[in-house]
Amino acid sequence: MAQLRVTGAKFSWTTLLALSHFIYLLLGATVFQHLEREAESNNRNNFQLEKLYFLANYSCLDGPALEKFVKVILDAWENGVNPSGNSTNPSNWDFGSSFFFAGTVVTTIGYGNLSPATFQGQVFCVFYALCGIPLNLAFLNQLSKCLAFHLGRLEHNMVSMVPRKSIHQCMEVLAVVVFLLMGSVLFLIFPPIIFSYVEGWSYGEGFYYAFITLSTIGFGDFVVGNGQDRQNVSVYRSLTAVWIIFALAWLALLLNMGARIVEHFLGLRKPPVSTDEERPSSRKQEESLSQRAIQQ
């Protein structure tokens, strides 16, 4: 294990990495609490004021009746039913939406805005995820290998264009940069434009949704197709599921490259030790024994 010596004491890189990870979590918790706690308090106060205003203007309702109605709305939202509009809203379990939900299951995104309500659906979801998640990981792994192969071809073509070996390394870095920029435009920069147009989000919200989805964090605060009264919402969600699958492979390749850079910088990986280097003395002993056997 790689170690770091500081003032006479030895610290392993693994311990340092674990400590850095924990400190990073503490930093994130502190920043999120500072940024979001006040907004949450304001939203809660505004909601309470709206309830009081509603009760003051509609005297036929009392407090418990309103609380019961609010609970009905929350239960409907948790079950995937849009409280606004009427019963003509698009179903959350048409084929396109079901295909989109199946994709969120096998990719472990799990937005949380939609889930099976029946016992049979819940049991099927468990076994479907048990079989689908390994299948999806194998597919993404193979797709990442395909992308890495094309990246290698791009590097080879760019390096072969330069006769001087002194700048080959620069051309390889340039090839990686070009590959990452193409993937970023295709999977992270262009899709938010479509989301902004269809969903009515800002570009920042669309970009936030794209990254939260592709990183499989999946908060569920932004989900495509929610509240859309369009006839093509089923096709729209199906195409989004296809985008998620291919973009996940690209982001997985990107994150793996970042992880390898960190591991290489910290020295967490060591080159494999060959048999010749691992046990040279044992091989010499075997050779001497074989020579004695021949002499005898």
PDB file of all heavy atoms in Angstrom, residues 246-282:
ATOM      1  N   PHE A 246     -27.514   5.737 -23.380  1.00  0.00           N
ATOM      2  CA  PHE A 246     -26.267   6.007 -24.085  1.00  0.00           C
ATOM      3  C   PHE A 246     -25.439   7.078 -23.373  1.00  0.00           C
ATOM      4  O   PHE A 246     -24.206   7.009 -23.364  1.00  0.00           O
ATOM      5  CB  PHE A 246     -26.558   6.431 -25.524  1.00  0.00           C
ATOM      6  CG  PHE A 246     -26.969   5.293 -26.404  1.00  0.00           C
ATOM      7  CD1 PHE A 246     -28.303   4.967 -26.566  1.00  0.00           C
ATOM      8  CD2 PHE A 246     -26.015   4.532 -27.052  1.00  0.00           C
ATOM      9  CE1 PHE A 246     -28.689   3.907 -27.373  1.00  0.00           C
ATOM     10  CE2 PHE A 246     -26.382   3.467 -27.859  1.00  0.00           C
ATOM     11  CZ  PHE A 246     -27.723   3.152 -28.021  1.00  0.00           C
ATOM     12  N   ALA A 247     -26.100   8.062 -22.783  1.00  0.00           N
ATOM     13  CA  ALA A 247     -25.354   9.100 -22.077  1.00  0.00           C
ATOM     14  C   ALA A 247     -24.719   8.542 -20.805  1.00  0.00           C
ATOM     15  O   ALA A 247     -23.649   9.003 -20.395  1.00  0.00           O
ATOM     16  CB  ALA A 247     -26.277  10.271 -21.728  1.00  0.00           C
ATOM     17  N   LEU A 248     -25.353   7.553 -20.190  1.00  0.00           N
ATOM     18  CA  LEU A 248     -24.767   6.923 -19.005  1.00  0.00           C
ATOM     19  C   LEU A 248     -23.442   6.256 -19.340  1.00  0.00           C
ATOM     20  O   LEU A 248     -22.497   6.303 -18.549  1.00  0.00           O
ATOM     21  CB  LEU A 248     -25.741   5.899 -18.416  1.00  0.00           C
ATOM     22  CG  LEU A 248     -26.813   6.420 -17.461  1.00  0.00           C
ATOM     23  CD1 LEU A 248     -27.761   5.291 -17.067  1.00  0.00           C
ATOM     24  CD2 LEU A 248     -26.203   7.041 -16.231  1.00  0.00           C
ATOM     25  N   ALA A 249     -23.383   5.608 -20.501  1.00  0.00           N
ATOM     26  CA  ALA A 249     -22.128   4.956 -20.900  1.00  0.00           C
ATOM     27  C   ALA A 249     -21.026   5.984 -21.087  1.00  0.00           C
ATOM     28  O   ALA A 249     -19.882   5.766 -20.664  1.00  0.00           O
ATOM     29  CB  ALA A 249     -22.345   4.164 -22.185  1.00  0.00           C
ATOM     30  N   TRP A 250     -21.356   7.106 -21.717  1.00  0.00           N
ATOM     31  CA  TRP A 250     -20.347   8.151 -21.912  1.00  0.00           C
ATOM     32  C   TRP A 250     -19.897   8.732 -20.582  1.00  0.00           C
ATOM     33  O   TRP A 250     -18.698   8.919 -20.345  1.00  0.00           O
ATOM     34  CB  TRP A 250     -20.910   9.257 -22.794  1.00  0.00           C
ATOM     35  CG  TRP A 250     -20.005  10.440 -22.896  1.00  0.00           C
ATOM     36  CD1 TRP A 250     -18.912  10.580 -23.690  1.00  0.00           C
ATOM     37  CD2 TRP A 250     -20.100  11.656 -22.138  1.00  0.00           C
ATOM     38  NE1 TRP A 250     -18.320  11.808 -23.480  1.00  0.00           N
ATOM     39  CE2 TRP A 250     -19.033  12.494 -22.539  1.00  0.00           C
ATOM     40  CE3 TRP A 250     -20.997  12.119 -21.181  1.00  0.00           C
ATOM     41  CZ2 TRP A 250     -18.841  13.755 -21.993  1.00  0.00           C
ATOM     42  CZ3 TRP A 250     -20.806  13.374 -20.650  1.00  0.00           C
ATOM     43  CH2 TRP A 250     -19.735  14.189 -21.052  1.00  0.00           C
ATOM     44  N   LEU A 251     -20.853   9.029 -19.684  1.00  0.00           N
ATOM     45  CA  LEU A 251     -20.476   9.600 -18.395  1.00  0.00           C
ATOM     46  C   LEU A 251     -19.711   8.598 -17.543  1.00  0.00           C
ATOM     47  O   LEU A 251     -18.811   8.982 -16.790  1.00  0.00           O
ATOM     48  CB  LEU A 251     -21.730  10.082 -17.655  1.00  0.00           C
ATOM     49  CG  LEU A 251     -21.477  10.885 -16.382  1.00  0.00           C
ATOM     50  CD1 LEU A 251     -20.729  12.170 -16.715  1.00  0.00           C
ATOM     51  CD2 LEU A 251     -22.785  11.226 -15.672  1.00  0.00           C
ATOM     52  N   ALA A 252     -20.058   7.317 -17.655  1.00  0.00           N
ATOM     53  CA  ALA A 252     -19.310   6.292 -16.923  1.00  0.00           C
ATOM     54  C   ALA A 252     -17.861   6.253 -17.381  1.00  0.00           C
ATOM     55  O   ALA A 252     -16.942   6.126 -16.559  1.00  0.00           O
ATOM     56  CB  ALA A 252     -19.972   4.930 -17.115  1.00  0.00           C
ATOM     57  N   LEU A 253     -17.639   6.373 -18.700  1.00  0.00           N
ATOM     58  CA  LEU A 253     -16.270   6.427 -19.211  1.00  0.00           C
ATOM     59  C   LEU A 253     -15.545   7.652 -18.690  1.00  0.00           C
ATOM     60  O   LEU A 253     -14.375   7.583 -18.289  1.00  0.00           O
ATOM     61  CB  LEU A 253     -16.293   6.440 -20.742  1.00  0.00           C
ATOM     62  CG  LEU A 253     -14.938   6.565 -21.450  1.00  0.00           C
ATOM     63  CD1 LEU A 253     -14.054   5.368 -21.122  1.00  0.00           C
ATOM     64  CD2 LEU A 253     -15.134   6.690 -22.951  1.00  0.00           C
ATOM     65  N   LEU A 254     -16.241   8.772 -18.649  1.00  0.00           N
ATOM     66  CA  LEU A 254     -15.637  10.012 -18.156  1.00  0.00           C
ATOM     67  C   LEU A 254     -15.280   9.907 -16.676  1.00  0.00           C
ATOM     68  O   LEU A 254     -14.184  10.290 -16.249  1.00  0.00           O
ATOM     69  CB  LEU A 254     -16.602  11.176 -18.387  1.00  0.00           C
ATOM     70  CG  LEU A 254     -16.137  12.561 -17.920  1.00  0.00           C
ATOM     71  CD1 LEU A 254     -14.893  12.983 -18.686  1.00  0.00           C
ATOM     72  CD2 LEU A 254     -17.245  13.583 -18.110  1.00  0.00           C
ATOM     73  N   LEU A 255     -16.204   9.356 -15.878  1.00  0.00           N
ATOM     74  CA  LEU A 255     -15.943   9.224 -14.447  1.00  0.00           C
ATOM     75  C   LEU A 255     -14.848   8.205 -14.169  1.00  0.00           C
ATOM     76  O   LEU A 255     -14.049   8.381 -13.235  1.00  0.00           O
ATOM     77  CB  LEU A 255     -17.238   8.833 -13.714  1.00  0.00           C
ATOM     78  CG  LEU A 255     -18.360   9.872 -13.745  1.00  0.00           C
ATOM     79  CD1 LEU A 255     -19.598   9.346 -13.033  1.00  0.00           C
ATOM     80  CD2 LEU A 255     -17.908  11.180 -13.106  1.00  0.00           C
ATOM     81  N   ASN A 256     -14.785   7.146 -14.967  1.00  0.00           N
ATOM     82  CA  ASN A 256     -13.709   6.165 -14.798  1.00  0.00           C
ATOM     83  C   ASN A 256     -12.352   6.787 -15.100  1.00  0.00           C
ATOM     84  O   ASN A 256     -11.363   6.503 -14.417  1.00  0.00           O
ATOM     85  CB  ASN A 256     -13.956   4.964 -15.710  1.00  0.00           C
ATOM     86  CG  ASN A 256     -15.058   4.063 -15.197  1.00  0.00           C
ATOM     87  OD1 ASN A 256     -15.325   4.030 -13.998  1.00  0.00           O
ATOM     88  ND2 ASN A 256     -15.716   3.354 -16.103  1.00  0.00           N
ATOM     89  N   MET A 257     -12.303   7.637 -16.119  1.00  0.00           N
ATOM     90  CA  MET A 257     -11.053   8.327 -16.427  1.00  0.00           C
ATOM     91  C   MET A 257     -10.645   9.235 -15.275  1.00  0.00           C
ATOM     92  O   MET A 257      -9.469   9.294 -14.889  1.00  0.00           O
ATOM     93  CB  MET A 257     -11.218   9.138 -17.714  1.00  0.00           C
ATOM     94  CG  MET A 257     -11.355   8.286 -18.969  1.00  0.00           C
ATOM     95  SD  MET A 257     -11.691   9.270 -20.452  1.00  0.00           S
ATOM     96  CE  MET A 257     -10.239  10.320 -20.474  1.00  0.00           C
ATOM     97  N   GLY A 258     -11.625   9.947 -14.701  1.00  0.00           N
ATOM     98  CA  GLY A 258     -11.318  10.797 -13.551  1.00  0.00           C
ATOM     99  C   GLY A 258     -10.841   9.997 -12.358  1.00  0.00           C
ATOM    100  O   GLY A 258      -9.900  10.400 -11.659  1.00  0.00           O
ATOM    101  N   ALA A 259     -11.491   8.838 -12.102  1.00  0.00           N
ATOM    102  CA  ALA A 259     -11.070   7.998 -10.983  1.00  0.00           C
ATOM    103  C   ALA A 259      -9.661   7.447 -11.199  1.00  0.00           C
ATOM    104  O   ALA A 259      -8.854   7.370 -10.262  1.00  0.00           O
ATOM    105  CB  ALA A 259     -12.060   6.850 -10.793  1.00  0.00           C
ATOM    106  N   ARG A 260      -9.336   7.086 -12.435  1.00  0.00           N
ATOM    107  CA  ARG A 260      -7.989   6.577 -12.722  1.00  0.00           C
ATOM    108  C   ARG A 260      -6.939   7.663 -12.537  1.00  0.00           C
ATOM    109  O   ARG A 260      -5.824   7.386 -12.076  1.00  0.00           O
ATOM    110  CB  ARG A 260      -7.938   6.034 -14.148  1.00  0.00           C
ATOM    111  CG  ARG A 260      -8.714   4.738 -14.341  1.00  0.00           C
ATOM    112  CD  ARG A 260      -8.684   4.293 -15.785  1.00  0.00           C
ATOM    113  NE  ARG A 260      -9.452   3.073 -15.982  1.00  0.00           N
ATOM    114  CZ  ARG A 260      -9.647   2.494 -17.162  1.00  0.00           C
ATOM    115  NH1 ARG A 260      -9.098   3.044 -18.250  1.00  0.00           N
ATOM    116  NH2 ARG A 260     -10.357   1.398 -17.254  1.00  0.00           N
ATOM    117  N   ILE A 261      -7.288   8.891 -12.902  1.00  0.00           N
ATOM    118  CA  ILE A 261      -6.350   9.991 -12.705  1.00  0.00           C
ATOM    119  C   ILE A 261      -6.073  10.197 -11.221  1.00  0.00           C
ATOM    120  O   ILE A 261      -4.927  10.381 -10.794  1.00  0.00           O
ATOM    121  CB  ILE A 261      -6.897  11.277 -13.352  1.00  0.00           C
ATOM    122  CG1 ILE A 261      -6.912  11.144 -14.878  1.00  0.00           C
ATOM    123  CG2 ILE A 261      -6.072  12.486 -12.943  1.00  0.00           C
ATOM    124  CD1 ILE A 261      -7.579  12.296 -15.596  1.00  0.00           C
ATOM    125  N   VAL A 262      -7.147  10.147 -10.402  1.00  0.00           N
ATOM    126  CA  VAL A 262      -6.968  10.310  -8.952  1.00  0.00           C
ATOM    127  C   VAL A 262      -6.137   9.168  -8.384  1.00  0.00           C
ATOM    128  O   VAL A 262      -5.223   9.372  -7.576  1.00  0.00           O
ATOM    129  CB  VAL A 262      -8.340  10.399  -8.268  1.00  0.00           C
ATOM    130  CG1 VAL A 262      -8.178  10.397  -6.749  1.00  0.00           C
ATOM    131  CG2 VAL A 262      -9.078  11.658  -8.708  1.00  0.00           C
ATOM    132  N   GLU A 263      -6.448   7.920  -8.807  1.00  0.00           N
ATOM    133  CA  GLU A 263      -5.702   6.768  -8.304  1.00  0.00           C
ATOM    134  C   GLU A 263      -4.235   6.820  -8.737  1.00  0.00           C
ATOM    135  O   GLU A 263      -3.348   6.456  -7.969  1.00  0.00           O
ATOM    136  CB  GLU A 263      -6.361   5.485  -8.804  1.00  0.00           C
ATOM    137  CG  GLU A 263      -7.718   5.214  -8.160  1.00  0.00           C
ATOM    138  CD  GLU A 263      -8.393   4.002  -8.764  1.00  0.00           C
ATOM    139  OE1 GLU A 263      -7.940   3.554  -9.846  1.00  0.00           O
ATOM    140  OE2 GLU A 263      -9.364   3.505  -8.166  1.00  0.00           O
ATOM    141  N   HIS A 264      -4.006   7.255  -9.967  1.00  0.00           N
ATOM    142  CA  HIS A 264      -2.619   7.368 -10.432  1.00  0.00           C
ATOM    143  C   HIS A 264      -1.869   8.452  -9.670  1.00  0.00           C
ATOM    144  O   HIS A 264      -0.697   8.290  -9.322  1.00  0.00           O
ATOM    145  CB  HIS A 264      -2.606   7.670 -11.933  1.00  0.00           C
ATOM    146  CG  HIS A 264      -1.231   7.853 -12.494  1.00  0.00           C
ATOM    147  ND1 HIS A 264      -0.362   6.797 -12.698  1.00  0.00           N
ATOM    148  CD2 HIS A 264      -0.551   8.983 -12.877  1.00  0.00           C
ATOM    149  CE1 HIS A 264       0.779   7.262 -13.187  1.00  0.00           C
ATOM    150  NE2 HIS A 264       0.689   8.580 -13.307  1.00  0.00           N
ATOM    151  N   PHE A 265      -2.566   9.562  -9.398  1.00  0.00           N
ATOM    152  CA  PHE A 265      -1.917  10.653  -8.662  1.00  0.00           C
ATOM    153  C   PHE A 265      -1.593  10.251  -7.228  1.00  0.00           C
ATOM    154  O   PHE A 265      -0.543  10.608  -6.692  1.00  0.00           O
ATOM    155  CB  PHE A 265      -2.838  11.876  -8.666  1.00  0.00           C
ATOM    156  CG  PHE A 265      -2.303  13.041  -7.868  1.00  0.00           C
ATOM    157  CD1 PHE A 265      -1.278  13.838  -8.358  1.00  0.00           C
ATOM    158  CD2 PHE A 265      -2.824  13.339  -6.609  1.00  0.00           C
ATOM    159  CE1 PHE A 265      -0.780  14.897  -7.623  1.00  0.00           C
ATOM    160  CE2 PHE A 265      -2.332  14.391  -5.872  1.00  0.00           C
ATOM    161  CZ  PHE A 265      -1.303  15.183  -6.382  1.00  0.00           C
ATOM    162  N   LEU A 266      -2.488   9.479  -6.602  1.00  0.00           N
ATOM    163  CA  LEU A 266      -2.267   9.052  -5.227  1.00  0.00           C
ATOM    164  C   LEU A 266      -1.436   7.781  -5.126  1.00  0.00           C
ATOM    165  O   LEU A 266      -1.085   7.364  -4.017  1.00  0.00           O
ATOM    166  CB  LEU A 266      -3.616   8.839  -4.524  1.00  0.00           C
ATOM    167  CG  LEU A 266      -4.508  10.079  -4.382  1.00  0.00           C
ATOM    168  CD1 LEU A 266      -5.806   9.723  -3.665  1.00  0.00           C
ATOM    169  CD2 LEU A 266      -3.783  11.191  -3.623  1.00  0.00           C
ATOM    170  N   GLY A 267      -1.170   7.154  -6.269  1.00  0.00           N
ATOM    171  CA  GLY A 267      -0.364   5.936  -6.233  1.00  0.00           C
ATOM    172  C   GLY A 267      -1.085   4.759  -5.634  1.00  0.00           C
ATOM    173  O   GLY A 267      -0.472   3.893  -5.011  1.00  0.00           O
ATOM    174  N   LEU A 268      -2.433   4.709  -5.838  1.00  0.00           N
ATOM    175  CA  LEU A 268      -3.199   3.622  -5.247  1.00  0.00           C
ATOM    176  C   LEU A 268      -3.096   2.341  -6.053  1.00  0.00           C
ATOM    177  O   LEU A 268      -3.404   1.271  -5.564  1.00  0.00           O
ATOM    178  CB  LEU A 268      -4.674   4.024  -5.122  1.00  0.00           C
ATOM    179  CG  LEU A 268      -4.949   5.204  -4.186  1.00  0.00           C
ATOM    180  CD1 LEU A 268      -6.433   5.532  -4.176  1.00  0.00           C
ATOM    181  CD2 LEU A 268      -4.480   4.898  -2.774  1.00  0.00           C
ATOM    182  N   ARG A 269      -2.693   2.473  -7.318  1.00  0.00           N
ATOM    183  CA  ARG A 269      -2.546   1.300  -8.167  1.00  0.00           C
ATOM    184  C   ARG A 269      -1.078   1.022  -8.427  1.00  0.00           C
ATOM    185  O   ARG A 269      -0.309   1.929  -8.710  1.00  0.00           O
ATOM    186  CB  ARG A 269      -3.269   1.510  -9.506  1.00  0.00           C
ATOM    187  CG  ARG A 269      -4.782   1.391  -9.407  1.00  0.00           C
ATOM    188  CD  ARG A 269      -5.393   1.424 -10.781  1.00  0.00           C
ATOM    189  NE  ARG A 269      -6.814   1.190 -10.735  1.00  0.00           N
ATOM    190  CZ  ARG A 269      -7.587   1.124 -11.807  1.00  0.00           C
ATOM    191  NH1 ARG A 269      -7.044   1.260 -13.009  1.00  0.00           N
ATOM    192  NH2 ARG A 269      -8.879   0.911 -11.696  1.00  0.00           N
ATOM    193  N   LYS A 270      -0.730  -0.229  -8.352  1.00  0.00           N
ATOM    194  CA  LYS A 270       0.633  -0.635  -8.647  1.00  0.00           C
ATOM    195  C   LYS A 270       0.617  -1.539  -9.864  1.00  0.00           C
ATOM    196  O   LYS A 270      -0.328  -2.305 -10.076  1.00  0.00           O
ATOM    197  CB  LYS A 270       1.253  -1.394  -7.455  1.00  0.00           C
ATOM    198  CG  LYS A 270       1.498  -0.501  -6.250  1.00  0.00           C
ATOM    199  CD  LYS A 270       2.185  -1.273  -5.151  1.00  0.00           C
ATOM    200  CE  LYS A 270       2.476  -0.391  -3.942  1.00  0.00           C
ATOM    201  NZ  LYS A 270       3.164  -1.137  -2.871  1.00  0.00           N
ATOM    202  N   PRO A 271       1.626  -1.476 -10.685  1.00  0.00           N
ATOM    203  CA  PRO A 271       1.666  -2.378 -11.841  1.00  0.00           C
ATOM    204  C   PRO A 271       1.765  -3.820 -11.377  1.00  0.00           C
ATOM    205  O   PRO A 271       2.354  -4.116 -10.336  1.00  0.00           O
ATOM    206  CB  PRO A 271       2.940  -1.940 -12.592  1.00  0.00           C
ATOM    207  CG  PRO A 271       3.787  -1.250 -11.558  1.00  0.00           C
ATOM    208  CD  PRO A 271       2.823  -0.607 -10.611  1.00  0.00           C
ATOM    209  N   PRO A 272       1.134  -4.735 -12.116  1.00  0.00           N
ATOM    210  CA  PRO A 272       1.178  -6.146 -11.711  1.00  0.00           C
ATOM    211  C   PRO A 272       2.594  -6.686 -11.713  1.00  0.00           C
ATOM    212  O   PRO A 272       3.391  -6.400 -12.607  1.00  0.00           O
ATOM    213  CB  PRO A 272       0.314  -6.841 -12.788  1.00  0.00           C
ATOM    214  CG  PRO A 272       0.349  -5.908 -13.954  1.00  0.00           C
ATOM    215  CD  PRO A 272       0.429  -4.541 -13.384  1.00  0.00           C
ATOM    216  N   VAL A 273       2.898  -7.447 -10.698  1.00  0.00           N
ATOM    217  CA  VAL A 273       4.229  -8.016 -10.544  1.00  0.00           C
ATOM    218  C   VAL A 273       4.293  -9.336 -11.280  1.00  0.00           C
ATOM    219  O   VAL A 273       3.454 -10.217 -11.075  1.00  0.00           O
ATOM    220  CB  VAL A 273       4.557  -8.219  -9.044  1.00  0.00           C
ATOM    221  CG1 VAL A 273       5.950  -8.814  -8.894  1.00  0.00           C
ATOM    222  CG2 VAL A 273       4.461  -6.895  -8.309  1.00  0.00           C
ATOM    223  N   SER A 274       5.233  -9.471 -12.171  1.00  0.00           N
ATOM    224  CA  SER A 274       5.362 -10.712 -12.942  1.00  0.00           C
ATOM    225  C   SER A 274       5.943 -11.812 -12.071  1.00  0.00           C
ATOM    226  O   SER A 274       6.511 -11.570 -11.011  1.00  0.00           O
ATOM    227  CB  SER A 274       6.259 -10.477 -14.164  1.00  0.00           C
ATOM    228  OG  SER A 274       7.549 -10.097 -13.749  1.00  0.00           O
ATOM    229  N   THR A 275       5.825 -13.019 -12.575  1.00  0.00           N
ATOM    230  CA  THR A 275       6.335 -14.164 -11.813  1.00  0.00           C
ATOM    231  C   THR A 275       7.840 -14.120 -11.692  1.00  0.00           C
ATOM    232  O   THR A 275       8.420 -14.508 -10.678  1.00  0.00           O
ATOM    233  CB  THR A 275       5.895 -15.465 -12.499  1.00  0.00           C
ATOM    234  OG1 THR A 275       4.483 -15.419 -12.711  1.00  0.00           O
ATOM    235  CG2 THR A 275       6.237 -16.671 -11.644  1.00  0.00           C
ATOM    236  N   ASP A 276       8.497 -13.575 -12.749  1.00  0.00           N
ATOM    237  CA  ASP A 276       9.962 -13.512 -12.712  1.00  0.00           C
ATOM    238  C   ASP A 276      10.434 -12.568 -11.626  1.00  0.00           C
ATOM    239  O   ASP A 276      11.441 -12.812 -10.955  1.00  0.00           O
ATOM    240  CB  ASP A 276      10.491 -13.056 -14.066  1.00  0.00           C
ATOM    241  CG  ASP A 276      10.176 -14.083 -15.145  1.00  0.00           C
ATOM    242  OD1 ASP A 276       9.999 -15.267 -14.788  1.00  0.00           O
ATOM    243  OD2 ASP A 276      10.101 -13.676 -16.315  1.00  0.00           O
ATOM    244  N   GLU A 277       9.710 -11.459 -11.429  1.00  0.00           N
ATOM    245  CA  GLU A 277      10.116 -10.488 -10.422  1.00  0.00           C
ATOM    246  C   GLU A 277       9.660 -10.894  -9.031  1.00  0.00           C
ATOM    247  O   GLU A 277      10.244 -10.497  -8.034  1.00  0.00           O
ATOM    248  CB  GLU A 277       9.531  -9.119 -10.763  1.00  0.00           C
ATOM    249  CG  GLU A 277      10.046  -8.553 -12.057  1.00  0.00           C
ATOM    250  CD  GLU A 277       9.373  -7.243 -12.402  1.00  0.00           C
ATOM    251  OE1 GLU A 277       8.458  -6.866 -11.652  1.00  0.00           O
ATOM    252  OE2 GLU A 277       9.750  -6.619 -13.399  1.00  0.00           O
ATOM    253  N   GLU A 278       8.570 -11.661  -8.977  1.00  0.00           N
ATOM    254  CA  GLU A 278       7.989 -11.957  -7.674  1.00  0.00           C
ATOM    255  C   GLU A 278       8.817 -12.985  -6.908  1.00  0.00           C
ATOM    256  O   GLU A 278       9.038 -12.857  -5.713  1.00  0.00           O
ATOM    257  CB  GLU A 278       6.544 -12.457  -7.877  1.00  0.00           C
ATOM    258  CG  GLU A 278       5.797 -12.611  -6.573  1.00  0.00           C
ATOM    259  CD  GLU A 278       4.358 -13.000  -6.843  1.00  0.00           C
ATOM    260  OE1 GLU A 278       4.013 -13.258  -8.012  1.00  0.00           O
ATOM    261  OE2 GLU A 278       3.586 -13.057  -5.894  1.00  0.00           O
ATOM    262  N   ARG A 279       9.249 -14.036  -7.635  1.00  0.00           N
ATOM    263  CA  ARG A 279       9.990 -15.091  -6.935  1.00  0.00           C
ATOM    264  C   ARG A 279      11.226 -15.479  -7.751  1.00  0.00           C
ATOM    265  O   ARG A 279      11.303 -16.562  -8.311  1.00  0.00           O
ATOM    266  CB  ARG A 279       9.083 -16.304  -6.722  1.00  0.00           C
ATOM    267  CG  ARG A 279       7.970 -16.069  -5.715  1.00  0.00           C
ATOM    268  CD  ARG A 279       7.139 -17.314  -5.514  1.00  0.00           C
ATOM    269  NE  ARG A 279       6.466 -17.713  -6.748  1.00  0.00           N
ATOM    270  CZ  ARG A 279       5.658 -18.770  -6.837  1.00  0.00           C
ATOM    271  NH1 ARG A 279       5.468 -19.536  -5.793  1.00  0.00           N
ATOM    272  NH2 ARG A 279       5.076 -19.068  -7.994  1.00  0.00           N
ATOM    273  N   PRO A 280      12.218 -14.601  -7.774  1.00  0.00           N
ATOM    274  CA  PRO A 280      13.421 -14.952  -8.554  1.00  0.00           C
ATOM    275  C   PRO A 280      14.231 -16.044  -7.887  1.00  0.00           C
ATOM    276  O   PRO A 280      14.850 -16.872  -8.552  1.00  0.00           O
ATOM    277  CB  PRO A 280      14.187 -13.624  -8.608  1.00  0.00           C
ATOM    278  CG  PRO A 280      13.725 -12.876  -7.394  1.00  0.00           C
ATOM    279  CD  PRO A 280      12.304 -13.267  -7.192  1.00  0.00           C
ATOM    280  N   SER A 281      14.269 -16.061  -6.574  1.00  0.00           N
ATOM    281  CA  SER A 281      15.078 -17.057  -5.873  1.00  0.00           C
ATOM    282  C   SER A 281      14.519 -18.456  -6.065  1.00  0.00           C
ATOM    283  O   SER A 281      15.270 -19.423  -6.224  1.00  0.00           O
ATOM    284  CB  SER A 281      15.135 -16.714  -4.374  1.00  0.00           C
ATOM    285  OG  SER A 281      13.829 -16.687  -3.830  1.00  0.00           O
ATOM    286  N   SER A 282      13.192 -18.598  -6.074  1.00  0.00           N
ATOM    287  CA  SER A 282      12.595 -19.920  -6.239  1.00  0.00           C
ATOM    288  C   SER A 282      12.889 -20.474  -7.640  1.00  0.00           C
ATOM    289  O   SER A 282      13.118 -21.676  -7.795  1.00  0.00           O
ATOM    290  CB  SER A 282      11.090 -19.853  -6.011  1.00  0.00           C
ATOM    291  OG  SER A 282      10.493 -18.971  -6.943  1.00  0.00           O
TER     292      SER A 282
END
